[in-house]
Each structure stands twice: as C-alpha cells, then as structure tokens.
Amino acid sequence: MRNLKLHRTLEFRDIQAPGKPQCFCLRAEPGTVVIGTERGLTEVDPVRREVKTEISLVAEGFLPEDGSGCIVGIQDLLDQESVCVATASGDVIVCNLSTQQLDCVGSVASGISVMSWSPDQELLLLATDRVSLYCPGYLGTHSVDQAGLEFRNPPASASQSAGITGVRHHCPAQAQQTLIMMTRDFEVIKEQQIHQDEFGEGKFVTVGWGSKETQFHGSEGRPTAFPVQLGFSVNPGSPGTHSVDQAGLELRNPPASASQHESALPWDDHRPQITWRGDGQFFAVSVVCRQTDARKIRVWNREFVLQSTSEPVPGLGPSLAWKPSGSLIACTQDKPNQQDVVFFEKNGLLHGHFTLPFLKDEVKVNDLLWNADSSVLAVWLEDLPKEDNSTLKSYVQLWTVGNYHWYLKQSLPFSTTGKNQVVSLLWDPVMPCRLHILCQGWRYLCCDWHWTTDRSSGNSANDLGNVAVIDGNRLLVTVFRQTVVPPPMYTYRLLIPHPVNQVVFSAHLGNDLAVLDASNQISVYKCGDKPNMDPTVKLGAVGGNGFKVPLTIPHLEKRYSDKRVSPLYSSGCPGTRFVDQAGLKLKKFAYLCLLSTRIKGIQFGNKEEDEEVNALQLSFLTWIEDDAFLAISHSHSSPQSIIHRLTVARSEVEEEQGQLDISSSVTVDGVVIGLCCCSKTKSLAVQLADGQVLKYLWESPSVAVEPWKNSEGFPVRFAHPCTQMEVATIGGKQCVLGLTDRCRFFINDTEVASNITSFAVCDDFLLVTTHSHTCQVFSLSGAYLKGCLSGNHEASGESLRKVERGSRIVTVVPQDPKLILQMPRGNLEVVHHRALVMAQIRKWLDKLMFKEAFECMRKLRINLNLIHDHNPKVFLENVETFIKQIDSVNHINLFFTELREEDVTKTMYPPPATKSVQVSTHPEGKKLDLICDAMRAAMETINPRKFCLSILTSHVKKTTPELEIVLQKVHELQGNIPFDPETVSAEEALKYLLLLVDVNELFNHSLGTYDFDLVLMVAEKSQKDPKEYLPFLNTLKKMETNYQRFTIDKYLKRYEKAIGHLSKCGPEYFTECLNLIKDKNLYKEALKLYRPDSQQYQAVSVAYGEYLMQEHQYEPAGLVFARCGAQEKALEAFLACGSWQQALCVAAQLQMAKDKVAGLARKLAGKLVEQRRHSEAATVLEQYAQSLLDYEEAVLLLLEGSAWEEALRLVYKYDRVDIIETSVKPSILEAQKNYMDFLDSQTATFIRHKNRLQVVRELKSKAPQVHVDNEVPHGPESDLFSETSSILFGSETSSKYSHSNSRISARSSKNRRKAERKKHSLKEGSPLEGLALLEALGEVVQSIEKLKDEVRAILKVLFLFEFEEQAKELQRACESALQLTERAAPEIWTLGGQQSSGTPVLGPSSTANSITASFQQQKTCVPVPDAGVYMPPKIDRRSPWKLSLLE
C-alpha cells in the first residue's frame, strides 16, 4: 500500500550543443550524461549544469556531414573510462572521453540496427542485416561467414601502418538480420541468424497423459476413436481447436480472425529488440518473423544457444524488457479492444498481463524499462496520429505490482513535437527509483522517487486510520478503523479526471484529503453530512448486499486550477476516451500545456514561450489548514527551491472550479527533498539535499525559514538524505525523525539505528520494524529512546514482537491498538502490539472507561485482573460504575473467574518505567475478598435479581469459598416464583454452580448445612446413584439431632465440629468421643468443651499428657499432668526432662519422706550431669542430699564444670579444706594445661587454614585465564587444577550438587546434617574448599573469643593459689591467639575477596571469556544460604578478660 512520491527533480535545459539528441547513456562514477546526436557525442554534467566534452564523429568520417547519420547505441565502459558507440552505418567506436581519442574497433558493412551489452559488460551483441565484419588496423581481426568459418586477416603492411586505411574485407553472404556475439575485447565469438527454424533446447515434450489418445475407448477400440491419423489437425479452420504433432505436443490454434500469420503492427519499425536478464546468463530477442511477418521472441543463453521461442501471440509489439530478477519478460500486445502489457516466461509461454488505460489504436508503446530492483516498470507511450490532427502527446507511466495487481503510480505527460518530445529513457543502475529522461530540445530530467505510505495524520480522535493508494486516475482508500481489507480491494475509491500523482491528507482533519493529478489540478475531498452520494466516490469491499458498515464517505468539495492556463485535459476538445481499470470511460482531453503552471498570476517557469504544463514542477503538496496548502517548486538555473503558501481564492459566485492564490513565498538556498508538518506546533520541517533541516513557521508574522536546532542549540543536519520524515515530541522536546533508503534511522542529527525498515509515530509511541523481523514500540516520553534504539537497553517482552519477514508498517489506527503491517507479497496483517494494547487499556482505565477496556482485554486475552490492579483504590471506589458499564452477567462472571491474588502489574504487565505506578496494597484484607465483597454489595444494590448468578459467583470465588451461603441462597430461590424475566430460577442457579464447583464437593457442603431438602436438590442434579445416598440420608434422619450432626461431620471429616456435637449427646457417648479425640489428636479442642472440674476434662488431660510423653515432650506433659492433679505422672515427666525445680515442687506436694527426697535429688543430679549442667547438679546435691559424701561430690561436680569460686565457697562452708589439696589444685593445673593445648592447636589450625586460603585464592584468580586462554577445561592440566585448587566449572558443579541435594532431601535429619557437613569439605582441591576454609577460620575465631571468660576465671584462682607462672603463661598464650585473629581478620574477610568470589572479574585485562567464567563461578560457588560465611566474626575488644595483677 505504498505510493511513489517525487523526491527531487534535477533539470538541465537549453544545453548548448550541436545537433539533436538521439540517445544517451550514464556514466556512474563521474555522474555525467553522454548524449549522442547526428553530429557526435556531448558529455554533460547535470549537477553543475555545464557541458564537459564535445566529440565530433563527423570530422572522423563516422557520421555523414548532411546530418542523416544515426547513433543506435551508447554504452559506458566502466573499467576503460570510455564509451562504446554504434552507428547505423555499421561502425563500432570506442571513445575515450578524457583524451577524446576515437578507435573504430569494428565495422559491419550493411549497418547495425541494435547494440546491446550484457549487464556484466563481458559480452556484446550486435544485430545487423548482413554478416560481414571489418576491423581496421587490428592484427588478427576476423570476418565470419554464414557457415561459421573464421577468416583471419593478415597483419597490417607497412603501407597500412603508414596511414593507408579504409580497406574493407567482406564475406559474401545472402542472410539478413544476423546476431553477432563478441567479447569485451571485441573478438567475435559466434554469429547466427536471428530467424531460427528450431524451437530451442527447451522444447516441450509430453507423453500424452490425460489426452484422448491415452484413454480407454471401449470395445470398439482406438481405430473408432481416432479415424484421423495422429499428427494432423482436426478441423484446422475452426476457432479454438487443437493440433497434435507427432511428438505429442499439443498446440493451440487461434481463431481465424486472429490467425498466427497476422502481420506486425502498422507502427512497428521491424527492428530487432534485445534485452538481457539481470545476471547476464540469458538474453531475449524480439524480431519480425520472415514467414509470418509477425513478431516472435527468442531466448538465447550466454553460450549463444537458442533456448526457446515464444508461442504465437497476435498483435505483439516491439518493446521488450527482461525483469532484472529473472522471472518475466515484459512485452506489449494489441488486442481487439484494448492494449496490454504481457509477460513471458523464459520458456516462451505467457504468464500474466495488465491493461493500459487506453483504447485500441490510440497509443503505441515506444519502450518498456524495468528499474534496477525490479519494483517499477516504466512504460513510454505515444499517441498515434488522429484524423482530426489534434495535438499528440506522449506519456511516461510508472507501474508497480502488489498482490498480483498492477498499479499506475505516476503518469508524466510530454509533447510529441517540439523541444519537449521524449527521445530516450533510462533507469539509473545504482539508484533503483531514479529515472533519467532526455527530450528533443536538449532538456534533461533526472527524477528521484521514493516509496511512501500516504496515511492520515492521526492527530485527531476522529481519525479513521485512512490509507490512500494511487492507481491511475483512481485513488483507493482503505479505512482501517472500521474495515481491514487486503489490496487490491479497498473501502472506497475516488475517480479523478486525470491520473493521480500525489495525495495528501489534512494535517488537522485526518479524514479529509487532497489529490494532485497530472494536470496540476488539486481535487479536495471532505468528509461530512451530504444527502446525495458523490458520483466520483464508489464503495469497494464494503456496502454490498447484506453487509453494511456505518462509514463516513467523503465528497468532492472543489477542484482548484487557474482558468487562464488551459488545463492538461480540456472537456471541450474532441479526443479519444480514457478507460478506467474499473470499466468506467471518461472523456479524455487534449494536451495543451506542460512546463508553465500559472496559479493565480504566479508562473513556475522561465520562458514566456513555453506552452506546456510541467507535471513535475509542483511537488511536496502539504495540506496545513482548511483553506491553505504548501507546495515546493524548483529553480531551473540554480540549486534553489521556493516554498509557496497556496490559499483558496474567495469567490462570491459558487463555481465548480476554484482558484488558489499564492499568499507568500520563501526562497530556500538548496534543493528541498523532504517536507513534513506538525499541526500541534504549527511548524514545518524542511529537508534539503545536503541533509540540513530547516523550520518553517507558517503562522508567524514574518514568514521565514530558520535552521532546526536540537536540544543543545546546534543546527540539525542528517548525515544522509532521508526519504521519510516525521516530527515528534520526545521527552518534551520537538525532534525530527528521519529514515534513509538504506535503513539508517536518525533522531535529529544522531544516527540511532541502522536496521530500521519502516517506522510510524502514533500518539506517544514510536513504532519501528527491523531487519531482524521484529516490531518494537518505544515511548516518546522516555529519556532513553536513543539508547533503546541503539541496542544499549534490552527490549522488554511488552515492547518487542516478532513479525513476518519483510513486514513494513502501513499505519497505526489512532486511539486503537490496531497496527497494520504489509508483507512483501502485498497482503496485510493486523497486529495488536502488546505495548499499544497496554497503553490504550491504561488510558481507558484512567478515564473510567471500563467497558472499552473490558472488551479489548477480552478480545485480546489480556488478564482481567489488570482492571483492578491498575489502580485498586479507584476501582473499588467505582465498582458500581464498572458494573453499570459492563451490564452483562456473563461478562461479570468472566471477570470473577479470572481473579487471583497475584498482582499482574508486578508480574505479567509491569507499567512503563517512565510512568508513576499506583502501588496496589490491601492492608485490610485479601484482594479476592475485597473485590468479591465490594462487587456483591454493588450488585445487590443495583439489581439483585438480574445479577443473581454473579452474586453467587462472588461467594464462590472468595479465598475461602462460602458454599454454604451459596447453597442457602439457591435454596431460597426454590420457593420463589420468577415473575421478572431477569429473575433466575433455583434450577438454573444450581446448574450454574455445578459449572464452578465439583458436584461431590457441592454435595458435601450441602450435607454440611444439615438441610436435607437442600441435599436432595443438589443430589438430583448430580450424577450420583440414588441407591447410594438415599439409604444414607434415611439413616441420618432417624438419629438424634446432635448425634446426627456428629455423624455428618465425621463423614465430612470435620472432626472439630464432630466432637463438639458428640460432647452434647451425654456421658454415655464420652468413650466414643475420647476415642475420636485420641485418634485425631484433638486434645486442645476437646479441653475447651468441658469444665476443668469435670471428670471428662481430667480424662482428656491425662490422655493428652500420655500423648506428649510418647512424643518425648516431657516438660509440657508434666505441666498437663500437674494441672489435672496427676502428680505421680507429673513427677515422672519432670524427672525425665531434668526440670529439677518442678520435680522437687511436685515431691513436696506428694509429701515425700526426706530419704526419698534425697534419693530423688541424687537422680536429678545424675540427670543434670548428663546434660552438662554441673552447677545445677551441685546445687541439688548440696541442698537436698544433706550428707558429707554428697557435699564432697557437689564440690567435685563444680570443679568438673570449671566453677572454681563456687567450689571454694562450698569447701569453706562445710569446712573441708582438705579437698583443696586433694582435688581443687590438681583440677586447676590440669585445666590450665588443657587451655594451653587448646590455644596452641587453635593457633596452628588458624595459621594453616589462613595460608591455604591465600593459595586457593591465587589459584582461583588464575584459573579463568588458564581455562579461557589455553582452552584446556578437560586437558591434562585439568587434573592438576582438581588436585590443587577449588576451580569450578559451572555446569559440572551445578549438576553434581543438584543431584546430591535431590538424594539428601529424602534422608533422615541425622544423615542430612552429616551431608551438610560434608558439603564444605576442607579437602584440597574440593569444589567448595575456599568456602570451607572461611567457615573453619570463623569457627576458630569464635572458639577463642568464647574462651575469654573461662580464662579470666581460671587466672584468678591460679593467682590465688600462687601458680603465677602458669597464669602468666596462659594469659600470654590467649592474648597472642586473640591478636593473631584480629590482625588476620581484615586480610581474610575482605571486600575484594568477597567480590572475587561473588562478582565477575572485571578490568582492563579481562576478556569476554574470563568474565563469563567468573559469572559461572558466581552461580555455582556462592549458594545463597552460605552468604553469611563471608561476613567476619564479631570480636569483642572491650571485654576485660585479662588479670591486671599478672602484667
């Protein structure tokens, strides 16, 4: 759905050179044009508008002096800085334009009609009428006879070298129209006649399958079915019959009126035409056949072997053009009532056509030309002479194809006489859309077109998303907001009197459009209420029978032109008829004027005598206001452009033809190649050929042009000319966006991407398609747009979408998430891009337009939780508005069913980074409960009968489904008779509930209501067998109420309620209740049902205590026993857990004898010693045993527990000083020795682990470099690493430990702890050795830190008993150990060490592989639970542990 828009026009007229132009060629490297005349060659520089070189061929004798000579071809030779010229007299000349040296490399005696070079310039084809070839002055020149024999001329003699030339060697021959193939060095390869009797190597062969002769013919056999011998035609004169040759090839016989022997067209010049395929492997020749006098096309390969001959086609024209892509050969054909451009395949068969918009015998086709990328076919036509001697015209039409439909995109009218008669056309070999035109009056035109999509601006909310496609004199408009129809179909079409060249939509009213046609006439169409349909407007794919769409159709407002200048087509002149492709016939007008377009007294031309309107003069038409246009005209003499503001001339009389005044004009130094406007800021961006961007303010008091400046205040200049421009506001600043034909994308003067194939600006978004087949959406309000486009920021899932290969953006429907893409083959695809969808939904939700948001989300499968999560507070405050807008029970139920606790704005649909986010919090309850309660209350207020099913759904969807309430409401509906049609019956409600809830679950909940009527109602709707539930219900009905409910609750496994009902049944059921309590461990619930002074309470307590004893929870069991009065069991429980205070209290309550208390104390002391509670054991023996042996045993227990001072207290309390010498002093000295040994061992361990950790870290820092640079992860060195370091390779370690953990999870707690200890192995070379070393070092530091209090206690008693040396030794050893750990701690637990283990290794010496390896180590070496190991242990430096007396 793209059109060709004129990008720029380079014109050079009135070239001062001798002769009249006949042909020309392009020189790509110097950028000049070489024009051939009957006098010689002229090289012209069209940019500088000067003649560079003039070379006369008359002076050298190659052209006659009388001016009758003709140059049949010119070709630029790229590698020789020369051109090859062929004259009609038969000379082939190589001309060096730098030295102006002429070399005649060969001559054909009877003349040359066509010269054609292969695309790679390796081969040269000459079409001639005789076979003699003469090459003067060349050693070893050739002449080839008809039989293919080669004659070599002798070397030039002395006389020849002295200047005797001109001798021609002829080979007599009788043949005519010969093809000669030569190399690039002009050596003859082969010569053949154009007319061949053979079909070629690609001759069709068929075995006859499916034809009559291969079928079964019954009992009479083949002779009856085929009375005529095969190979002869049956009824040869009848139209449409077939003839079968002896090889089985079936040929179609045309009707008698169009026989195969129809002669060539009357205006055919009978000259051969040659065209090459783009790769140079084949060429085709169109020639008039000698036998039939009709044209045929023959295809030859590069080796000059005939491949195929075209099928007989009557009315075949001489024009010929092979599509560069190699698929089709274009030609023309005159039919009885029309003229077509037909296409042949390489095998000579027809393959498609399109009809030219002219009647038969009205025009002739002079030439067909494909552009370089095969996207545009140029057709050069010329009017045939008429009886009325009216003015004749010629046309250059540009055709494109899409979805198998041919569109006429541009039509340029020219004169057939005078200075503006077209002489030749050429497509540029480098720029695909650049066309070069040479006219008779030394006028040269270079026209650059570019592809553009003409779409409405989208600035207004009423914009319908219109896209216009030019197709000759028809404008095909598709309204994408309401209809999406693939081309060539359309919503409606506008019929214009003349071929359309440009269409523009209004910048402020997006649905209005203006059309500029080939006569420089502007037709304005506006949308509005008009009772009668405009006859020039016709509906296309919509509006048929039975299919109606409410569509706003435009009507013709007015056509604007200047009456003083006769239009291109005048209705008053007799002429032929113009045939529209839809079958409509319009009056075609006479051609009067071309170059000079006068619009209300303004003349775009430089000569009064020019009589023709220039269709290329007015470009870049822009509709800026309701009655104002902008247009660009160019100067012919200097590189300047003029911006004209055209306003509608006011007229008191209503006329069909309006007039335009030029209210202002601004001259710009430079050639304008781009223009786009922004209706919001009333500014216009103008792009010049050098990339500079200017700003034109059309509403400023003094209309002027100023440079467009970026945010830094510097003028904006594109590095490369952009074919598409848009003005957009990015981050609050107005910017110019540009896209080149090489996919380079600019924002202001910054190139931000080089892979953009198309882009569009819609609302606050920029949409682009890329070479990687993605469509990305960027917010224009973001500050990181340039970074996102350049790839510095990763595209999120919402902004990125994969599209089909080669997709391009057609349009984005405003205020709608609809994105239209077109595929390379022409079909359309509608995409709802997630970013556009989410942005539009958020806008609707902000405006409380819940219905529009809901419909869009439901259609595009967006999670409906977003309606609430977007702004929970606003939604809950406007629940009634939401329900009234939706107003559909089914849709509300759908909303309920999709609800979940998840906040989708944090998971599925995170808001854009630039947008302030409404934090969704529910401090007073859960999300589901809040929504269900709020919506249920609103529905009960609005219409509870209508929304009955939705109310039931709100109960079911709560966090804890309220099925009992739902069933109760359904039961209430059972007795109500529905008077209102909106009222739901109980049966319907129950059927609906069965869709939401499992039938068995619903049956159980109905049974839990203890309402048997409700149970029966649910059971009847279920699939349950009545034999199953009726006996069960009958049994329940016979029971007492409490026992009945107990039975139901027990059946439903609601045991808490069951024991509650059973406890009300009486004492006789207590045994059953107690058994249920024990079976289900409902002790706590059961204790709440009985009074503390009841027997049932005591029985339950005893059972509870026994259960706790079995679970080894002795202390809770003792408390339960003590509370219920079971003292003996309480004493046993306290004794088992070592709670000596509680045990002695219970013993006092039991009034035990002293000796029993002493025995109990000894048991308790033994239990406490087992638990290493020596001080408490000593206290129990001292206070409750009360014997001398028990006192001494208490002192020994204190010494064992290192309670030195308490032991001394007991010694002196009970006057047992002898124990000091026998037990106290030896224990103190032994403890001092143990402390010394412990400190020594810990110090040695600390030093060893510290040194090993340093080695491990060094190896780990080197390991990634060795692994990456030397690439030996599994080589011989890998064994070395595994034995000497903790090098990790992520995949191996991860798989190892994931497998290990999967086995560990099933083990017992003891084995699990054992496996956890093995996880951090200190074995050298283990994977986690570094982590294990850190953990071990931390344990050493903590153990020394804990020892300080014990050391201080023993230091005091050592000093007291005069063991001063031992005390000093211990104090020094402890101080030394503490200082060692304090000094080494910063080295061991460093931030760098943590980073080296947990973060990538970065720096100037890092490589991509080393960083990747460090990331893998980070993933495997640092599990999250072990992160605390990297924190240094706490050291209390202020703790006073030393004894100052020893210093």
Side-chain angles (χ1 to χ4, degrees), residues 258-292:
S259 65
Q260 297 179 8
H261 299 287
E262 181 178 346
S263 61
L265 299 175
W267 47 268
D268 195 335
D269 57 4
H270 287 66
R271 292 178 57 190
Q273 297 291 332
I274 302 176
T275 180
W276 288 82
R277 201 170 75 172
D279 58 0
Q281 297 300 314
F282 296 91
F283 63 91
V285 180
S286 173
V287 67
V288 177
C289 184
R290 292 176 300 180
Q291 291 81 7
T292 62

Side-chain angles (χ1 to χ4, degrees), residues 714-726:
F714 297 103
V716 174
R717 183 187 295 271
F718 292 142
H720 303 274
C722 294
T723 57
Q724 182 182 354
M725 280 203 315
E726 293 284 350

Side-chain angles (χ1 to χ4, degrees), residues 907-1146:
T907 56
M908 299 175 65
Y909 313 114
T914 58
K915 185 177 180 181
S916 59
V917 183
Q918 172 70 28
V919 180
S920 57
T921 56
H922 311 286
E924 57 276 348
K926 293 185 177 181
K927 168 185 166 181
L928 285 178
D929 297 342
L930 286 174
I931 298 175
C932 291
D933 293 340
M935 292 189 64
R936 181 171 63 252
M939 289 185 291
E940 290 175 348
T941 303
I942 297 172
N943 191 341
R945 293 182 178 180
K946 176 181 179 180
F947 297 107
C948 177
L949 296 182
S950 300
I951 293 173
L952 298 180
T953 308
S954 68
H955 287 288
V956 174
K957 283 299 296 182
K958 294 191 71 172
T959 307
T960 303
E962 299 173 344
L963 295 181
E964 291 83 359
I965 299 177
V966 172
L967 291 170
Q968 193 62 37
K969 289 188 176 183
V970 173
H971 187 52
E972 293 174 359
L973 292 174
Q974 193 172 12
N976 299 333
I977 300 175
F979 298 101
D980 190 353
E982 294 182 349
T983 304
V984 179
S985 64
E987 183 178 359
E988 293 175 349
L990 191 58
K991 285 183 179 179
Y992 174 72
L993 277 179
L994 292 176
L995 298 176
L996 299 178
V997 187
D998 180 68
V999 61
N1000 295 319
E1001 184 180 358
L1002 195 62
F1003 177 82
N1004 293 338
H1005 278 84
S1006 64
L1007 189 62
T1009 61
Y1010 315 116
D1011 188 341
F1012 290 100
D1013 294 336
L1014 185 60
V1015 174
L1016 287 173
M1017 182 180 68
V1018 174
E1020 289 175 356
K1021 299 298 180 183
S1022 68
Q1023 301 296 325
K1024 288 181 175 290
D1025 188 356
K1027 294 181 181 179
E1028 296 179 2
Y1029 63 84
L1030 285 179
F1032 175 64
L1033 295 179
N1034 292 331
T1035 304
L1036 290 176
K1037 288 182 179 180
K1038 297 177 182 179
M1039 296 180 180
E1040 188 265 335
T1041 302
N1042 289 324
Y1043 196 78
Q1044 178 192 84
R1045 295 185 175 182
F1046 157 74
T1047 306
I1048 292 174
D1049 291 332
K1050 186 178 179 182
Y1051 172 78
L1052 299 177
K1053 298 182 180 181
R1054 301 188 301 186
Y1055 299 111
E1056 293 184 16
K1057 289 186 175 182
I1059 61 175
H1061 292 300
L1062 190 58
S1063 65
K1064 300 176 183 178
C1065 293
E1068 61 272 16
Y1069 292 98
F1070 178 71
T1071 303
E1072 184 178 359
C1073 182
L1074 185 60
N1075 292 333
L1076 181 61
I1077 292 169
K1078 291 180 179 180
D1079 187 27
K1080 304 301 177 183
N1081 298 328
L1082 300 174
Y1083 300 103
K1084 294 180 180 180
E1085 293 78 6
L1087 290 175
K1088 299 175 183 178
L1089 301 175
Y1090 298 102
R1091 298 192 309 273
D1093 57 347
S1094 62
Q1095 294 181 357
Q1096 291 87 351
Y1097 185 87
Q1098 186 176 6
V1100 173
S1101 298
V1102 171
Y1104 188 24
E1106 292 175 350
Y1107 167 75
L1108 293 175
M1109 289 290 289
Q1110 293 176 0
E1111 296 294 322
H1112 303 287
Q1113 300 181 21
Y1114 300 112
E1115 187 172 9
L1119 294 174
V1120 171
F1121 285 136
R1123 181 176 177 179
C1124 69
Q1127 305 296 342
E1128 291 82 359
K1129 294 185 176 182
L1131 180 60
E1132 181 182 355
F1134 289 136
L1135 183 61
C1137 68
S1139 179
W1140 57 276
Q1141 293 94 337
Q1142 292 288 349
L1144 293 173
C1145 291
V1146 172

Side-chain angles (χ1 to χ4, degrees), residues 526-540:
K526 292 188 176 182
C527 292
D529 298 332
K530 194 172 183 180
N532 299 326
M533 187 170 178
D534 195 320
T536 64
V537 181
K538 182 180 179 181
L539 293 177

Side-chain angles (χ1 to χ4, degrees), residues 813-834:
V813 181
Q815 309 296 325
D816 193 285
K818 193 182 296 181
L819 169 64
I820 313 299
L821 299 174
Q822 187 169 27
M823 308 302 111
R825 58 183 176 273
N827 61 315
L828 300 180
E829 181 178 349
V830 181
V831 173
H832 293 83
H833 201 289
R834 178 57 57 86

Side-chain angles (χ1 to χ4, degrees), residues 597-628:
T597 301
R598 300 184 181 89
I599 300 180
K600 199 62 179 177
I602 300 298
Q603 178 180 344
F604 301 116
N606 58 356
K607 289 193 177 182
E608 294 290 338
E609 60 269 22
D610 289 340
E611 298 178 352
E612 299 172 353
V613 175
N614 184 2
L616 301 173
Q617 187 67 38
L618 202 62
S619 61
F620 296 107
L621 182 68
T622 305
W623 193 355
I624 56 174
E625 290 181 339
D626 190 28
D627 59 347

